[in-house]
Amino acid sequence: MAQAAAVAKPPAPPRRRRASATPRRLPYLLIAPAALLMLGFIAYPVISVFYYSLQNYNPTKPWRNGYAGFDNFVQIFTKDPQFWDTLTFSAKWVFVEVGLQLLFGLALALIVNQTFVGRGLGRAMVFSPWAVSGVLTSAIWVLLYNSQTGITRYLADMGIGSYGTSWLSDTSTVFSAAVVADLWRGVPFFAILILADLQSVSKDLYEAAEVDGASTIKQFWHITLPHLKDAIILSTLLRAVWEFNNVDLLYTLTGGGPAGETTTLPLYIANTSVDAHNFGYASALTTVAFVILLFCSMVYLRLSKFGGGSK
Amino acid sequence: MITKEATEVAPAPVHQTPEPPRSVKRRRSWDEVPRWHIYTPLSIYLVFTLIPFYWILLFALRPSGSTSLVPWPITFDHFEKVWTERAFGTYFENSVYVGLATLVMTTLVALAGGYALARFDFKVKNAFMLALLCSQFVPGALLLVPLFEIFAELKMINSLGSVIIAETVFQLPLSMILISNFIKNVPYSLEEAAWVDGCNRMTAFRIVVLPLLRPGLIAVGSFAFVHSWNHFLFALMFLNNQNKQTIPVGLNTLMSADSVDLGALAAGGIIAAVPVVIVFAFIQKWLITGFSAGAVKG
């Protein structure tokens, strides 16, 4: 088995031969382990998802398995309100999350890029949630939102919210509650990426702008922001894809509830395949999700003119 | 704790242009931002960041049933219970194993591939780069079924190997792009000079390039470790056996138990957080330099 062999072996060591002669096969040997791993564990599964999407495939109902043509897709687009609901929720979730994360992340990066007393410690502290997992984030916010002993109880004392209600089980609050929990972990991610790019803005530009009498805000608009453009575009895209695909947080925080209120499309797919064993239908949903994601990414990259201009 | 030096971000030695001679007027306007413009929003944000951490610490350290806002008297009962009764000791071991194996595999495979991408032109290079980019849109969670079948075929269900491979594969594309950018920032002439001095390619790489790559490798490796430590779905799907599980799955079990034991949940959460927070504190400096050097502007 090709994949197994690639896994067992460490990446092909470059041959001991005369270095000056560039061996023609060397680059292929070097990318071979990565290529084999990705072929075996990404490309092949993707293709089999496409294949299953045209099948009725349910291990618990083998008598109904077989080629289904485009039935799954027809059902998705015409007879499955849950698909549209979860897709809408996914869009809303990604839009709100990424927008707020970008906004707060940018502000945070600009702040901790300043020189001030205690900067190192300050950075370490505000960035620390980044290291925390989706499941742990859920665990923490489950404790905070707990109706009996959570912070909600103390806030109720102060007149915010009311006693005995858990913000996670109320349809009117669950969205905001989940957004805040995810922001806690997501903002540092943006801040770190943007800060990394901020470090490379040439100080000369600011000095020159200073001499010309440009205000701080002007400098931000005309120097900082254009410099950050590519980093912002890329981190926004990566984060959006990641937020769309991520199931860890919502799966463990709300389980998609209450009443399906926080079920994203990937969560719906996971439920369809893992709980309902309807692999064929889940594969068709996956295919649709993949196409939507790819399409949106292309449109986004085109609209934002990634890599064009400033550099 | 972290010293100021350790967290101060040093300019990446590899790629940054040498600092121009300091002019007499060095103060930039951004340095003249009033202090309270920094401290006020930062404090507010710190409160938002730290309250959840405090809360989980509170629940982990105070006895069950207490509503005190100060964890006093301190008890370690919850930790003891979670570690032994809830098998977090085993989960912890498994997670360490998965994390370290993913770190090593990702770094080695990405290093080899990244070197090829940075230093050679070869036929399938563009196609390969495109594949790396596209793989970013492939939701790992949505490939669970075919992945499960592959691992079943390989008789790897219930072995940590399946999780290690899956985590590595999904870490690879980004790691490889980052590493190849780091390598591009090391002047090729340095390597060529080493060849002239009689080193072969491998030795030249080891003694000339590798030391300069250290910040980048630390960033990539720690990223892989933290990711696989935190990731939940692969372990949940591929490991059915209780004593093969990892920490995030253990946490999820605690959360979905019929009557949630909040103290145990909090203690489990802290056990889950400690390693990554420690790794994070140490690598923070490398992370930011590493990202800014490897940021995708190759």
Side-chain angles (χ1 to χ4, degrees):
Chain A
M1 189 123 290
Q3 303 100 328
V7 172
K9 258 191 284 179
R15 299 286 165 78
R16 291 203 165 252
R17 50 167 93 170
R18 292 227 52 81
S20 48
T22 301
R24 199 182 294 170
R25 270 177 308 169
L26 182 59
Y28 295 102
L29 285 175
L30 288 174
I31 62 162
L36 287 176
L37 279 172
M38 288 177 55
L39 274 178
F41 296 97
I42 298 183
Y44 174 73
V46 167
I47 291 167
S48 46
V49 162
F50 293 158
Y51 170 73
Y52 288 145
S53 70
L54 302 174
Q55 306 274 325
N56 279 321
Y57 179 29
N58 186 335
T60 58
K61 294 175 189 156
W63 61 92
R64 288 180 50 193
N65 291 355
Y67 182 69
F70 288 95
D71 287 1
N72 286 328
F73 292 97
V74 171
Q75 193 184 341
I76 289 174
F77 289 111
T78 58
K79 290 180 224 146
D80 188 355
Q82 230 183 324
F83 165 74
W84 296 106
D85 288 350
T86 55
L87 183 63
T88 322
F89 178 71
S90 286
K92 183 171 145 195
W93 173 256
V94 169
F95 196 76
V96 172
E97 268 303 330
V98 176
L100 290 176
Q101 285 174 19
L102 175 60
L103 212 64
F104 288 128
L106 182 61
L108 190 60
L110 288 172
I111 290 169
V112 296
N113 193 37
Q114 308 293 323
T115 25
F116 56 89
V117 181
R119 179 169 82 165
L121 191 63
R123 275 186 185 174
M125 286 199 290
V126 293
F127 288 165
S128 50
W130 171 81
V132 166
S133 68
V135 181
L136 180 51
T137 306
S138 313
I140 291 176
W141 289 86
V142 160
L143 293 173
L144 274 164
Y145 290 145
N146 185 283
S147 59
Q148 302 304 317
T149 51
I151 202 150
T152 42
R153 170 203 169 109
Y154 299 92
L155 285 175
D157 281 341
M158 292 153 58
I160 304 168
S162 57
Y163 265 105
T165 53
S166 167
W167 291 349
L168 290 174
S169 49
D170 189 331
T171 48
S172 63
T173 50
V174 65
F175 180 72
S176 321
V179 163
V180 170
D182 199 32
L183 276 184
W184 180 74
R185 186 182 50 143
V187 170
F189 169 87
F190 259 108
I192 289 173
L193 284 183
I194 292 173
L195 178 64
D197 212 39
L198 271 178
Q199 309 274 314
S200 64
V201 188
S202 165
K203 314 277 185 284
D204 297 357
L205 291 173
Y206 292 115
E207 276 167 26
E210 185 76 352
V211 172
D212 293 344
S215 69
T216 309
I217 294 179
K218 273 230 170 83
Q219 292 179 27
F220 173 74
W221 277 111
H222 296 290
I223 303 174
T224 313
L225 218 50
H227 181 92
L228 291 178
K229 193 183 137 211
D230 278 0
I232 288 178
I233 291 173
L234 203 76
S235 49
T236 306
L237 178 62
L238 283 178
R239 193 68 188 176
V241 171
W242 199 84
E243 285 290 352
F244 180 87
N245 285 332
N246 179 27
V247 289
D248 284 17
L249 182 98
L250 286 175
Y251 183 93
T252 49
L253 188 66
T254 65
E261 196 71 17
T262 56
T263 306
T264 57
L265 182 54
L267 212 50
Y268 176 45
I269 294 170
N271 289 339
T272 311
S273 66
V274 177
D275 299 340
H277 298 288
N278 202 344
F279 291 165
Y281 195 63
S283 298
L285 285 169
T286 306
T287 307
V288 173
F290 181 64
V291 170
I292 292 175
L293 217 51
L294 205 59
F295 177 76
C296 291
S297 306
M298 295 301 156
V299 170
Y300 174 77
L301 285 179
R302 180 59 63 85
L303 286 181
S304 58
K305 301 197 178 64
F306 177 63
S310 64
K311 292 234 164 88
Chain B
M1 233 26 251
I2 319 116
T3 62
K4 191 154 163 44
E5 261 161 26
T7 44
E8 205 79 3
V9 171
V14 195
H15 86 118
Q16 283 205 338
T17 46
E19 189 108 6
R22 300 262 157 91
S23 58
V24 188
K25 193 184 167 215
R26 253 194 77 244
R27 284 151 57 92
R28 319 186 293 277
S29 67
W30 281 94
D31 274 345
E32 288 155 17
V33 170
R35 298 294 88 178
W36 68 271
H37 279 184
I38 296 173
Y39 287 118
T40 314
L42 194 64
S43 314
I44 296 172
Y45 197 81
L46 261 181
V47 169
F48 173 62
T49 303
L50 294 181
I51 280 185
F53 282 128
Y54 180 74
W55 209 250
I56 192 172
L57 211 57
L58 181 68
F59 273 75
L61 291 177
R62 73 184 183 189
S64 309
S66 160
T67 52
S68 154
L69 282 178
V70 188
W72 197 259
I74 285 181
T75 166
F76 288 101
D77 291 354
H78 299 305
F79 287 97
E80 213 184 308
K81 189 174 161 197
V82 163
W83 191 263
T84 52
E85 278 174 45
R86 294 302 199 140
F88 264 60
T90 316
Y91 301 157
F92 192 89
E93 222 172 277
N94 293 338
S95 278
V96 168
Y97 186 58
V98 168
L100 291 181
T102 308
L103 184 158
V104 171
M105 273 188 44
T106 307
T107 316
L108 286 180
V109 177
L111 188 59
Y115 186 78
L117 291 178
R119 289 292 194 243
F120 296 102
D121 271 318
F122 51 99
K123 265 190 194 141
V124 293
K125 183 169 164 178
N126 285 336
F128 190 65
M129 289 296 279
L130 190 70
L132 289 185
L133 205 68
C134 281
S135 67
Q136 293 302 300
F137 301 117
V138 178
L142 310 188
L143 297 183
L144 284 175
V145 172
L147 280 174
F148 186 90
E149 289 181 332
I150 293 173
F151 288 125
E153 194 71 27
L154 296 172
K155 304 263 181 295
M156 286 176 80
I157 294 298
N158 266 334
S159 108
L160 292 179
S162 60
V163 180
I164 293 166
I165 291 175
E167 299 293 353
T168 301
V169 166
F170 283 87
Q171 285 300 303
L172 264 182
L174 203 60
S175 306
M176 213 165 351
I177 292 172
L178 282 172
I179 289 184
S180 90
N181 280 342
F182 296 136
I183 295 178
K184 275 184 203 151
N185 285 327
V186 180
Y188 201 27
S189 52
L190 284 181
E191 262 177 277
E192 286 169 334
W195 303 347
V196 172
D197 290 346
C199 293
N200 62 26
R201 207 175 251 281
M202 185 67 186
T203 327
F205 178 77
R206 208 183 61 229
I207 63 179
V208 176
V209 185
L210 214 50
L212 293 173
L213 283 183
R214 201 166 6 157
L217 290 181
I218 292 175
V220 167
S222 51
F223 220 58
F225 178 84
V226 169
H227 257 270
S228 58
W229 180 275
N230 283 340
H231 194 236
F232 154 74
L233 219 51
F234 291 150
L236 181 75
M237 293 307 297
F238 305 148
L239 308 170
N240 303 319
N241 198 329
Q242 238 246 329
N243 49 32
K244 285 285 164 65
Q245 288 297 6
T246 57
I247 290 222
V249 184
L251 264 187
N252 182 51
T253 320
L254 286 183
M255 253 186 290
S256 47
D258 286 337
S259 56
V260 182
D261 179 348
L262 296 177
L265 181 59
I270 286 174
I271 294 171
V274 164
V276 282
V277 169
I278 290 174
V279 168
F280 181 76
F282 276 109
I283 55 138
Q284 209 220 149
K285 161 187 157 193
W286 302 112
L287 204 66
I288 295 170
T289 1
F291 273 136
S292 69
V296 199
K297 6 169 182 163

